[in-house]
Amino acid sequence: IYYKGGFIIGLLLKSSNLLREISELLQIGDLVADELNKDNLYWFGYKNFKDELIAIMGMEQYGNICLLRSLTVKVEERKKGLANKLIKEVTDFAVNAKCVEAYLITSTVVDKKRKHGFESIDRTELPEAIKKSKFFIEICPLSSIVMNKNLSC
């Protein structure tokens, strides 16, 4: 965890208190708080100087591909660029973790993700590892938009 732009950002260690905070923030953002402690799931977040979690995003890694998930920012902290910063930080982490493709499944802020180089794809184009995940099978609605970004340069 390190300071950046007035906030604490970083890879979050999965303690029971942190998982509770993540769950609460996901519920506030109308997202499902399920499978938060998977071995291949990394959480990134911003905390304010009061040590309150104000923004989060998860990354599930499947070999050299990853699924970005559960991006949410506390209502009173929106419009400050935190979501954009998180998307960049998490995709940078994915590149460093040797991921060559990033996927996300979303029903909100598609334009924000396009700004970061994600393009809409058909659900059938998802890799099998993601198609078999509980997140894809049980949590994401069929109306969600599937997006992809090539991370190899």
Side-chain angles (χ1 to χ4, degrees):
I1 293 178
Y2 57 95
Y3 291 94
K4 186 171 184 175
F7 296 95
I8 300 170
I9 183 172
L11 182 62
L12 303 172
L13 302 176
K14 297 180 200 173
S15 68
S16 58
N17 284 340
L18 180 65
L19 291 172
R20 181 187 42 75
E21 283 184 82
I22 290 171
S23 177
E24 289 170 2
L25 191 51
L26 289 173
Q27 290 171 23
I28 289 169
D30 289 327
L31 297 173
V32 175
D34 195 10
E35 291 205 304
L36 303 182
N37 201 21
K38 293 173 57 174
D39 288 339
N40 67 331
L41 175 57
Y42 303 93
W43 287 104
F44 300 82
Y46 280 97
K47 286 189 165 199
N48 60 20
F49 289 116
K50 296 177 187 173
D51 201 37
E52 300 166 327
L53 190 62
I54 58 172
I56 56 166
M57 184 175 202
M59 183 193 97
E60 289 186 31
Q61 187 169 0
Y62 298 92
N64 67 349
I65 62 168
C66 63
L67 173 66
L68 308 185
R69 60 173 278 193
S70 307
L71 172 63
T72 192
V73 178
K74 272 191 167 180
V75 174
E76 61 272 18
E77 300 293 341
R78 292 182 183 166
K79 307 281 187 210
K80 296 180 181 179
L82 295 177
N84 285 325
K85 290 176 185 177
L86 266 177
I87 293 169
K88 180 173 180 351
E89 293 288 337
V90 175
T91 53
D92 287 350
F93 179 86
V95 169
N96 289 329
K98 309 292 186 224
C99 292
V100 296
E101 295 280 336
Y103 296 86
L104 56 85
I105 306 166
T106 185
S107 55
T108 61
V109 290
V110 171
D111 290 337
K112 181 181 297 289
K113 282 123 181 176
R114 282 201 177 101
K115 178 178 143 184
H116 289 276
F118 285 87
E119 297 295 329
S120 297
I121 62 170
D122 191 270
R123 294 174 78 84
T124 60
E125 296 178 59
L126 276 171
E128 285 302 312
I130 295 174
K131 284 182 190 175
K132 292 178 181 176
S133 71
K134 182 177 180 183
F135 185 78
F136 179 74
I137 294 169
E138 297 180 18
I139 297 173
C140 294
L142 288 173
S143 60
S144 296
I145 296 168
V146 177
M147 302 183 85
N148 166 261
K149 179 179 181 176
N150 184 317
L151 299 176
S152 57
C153 298

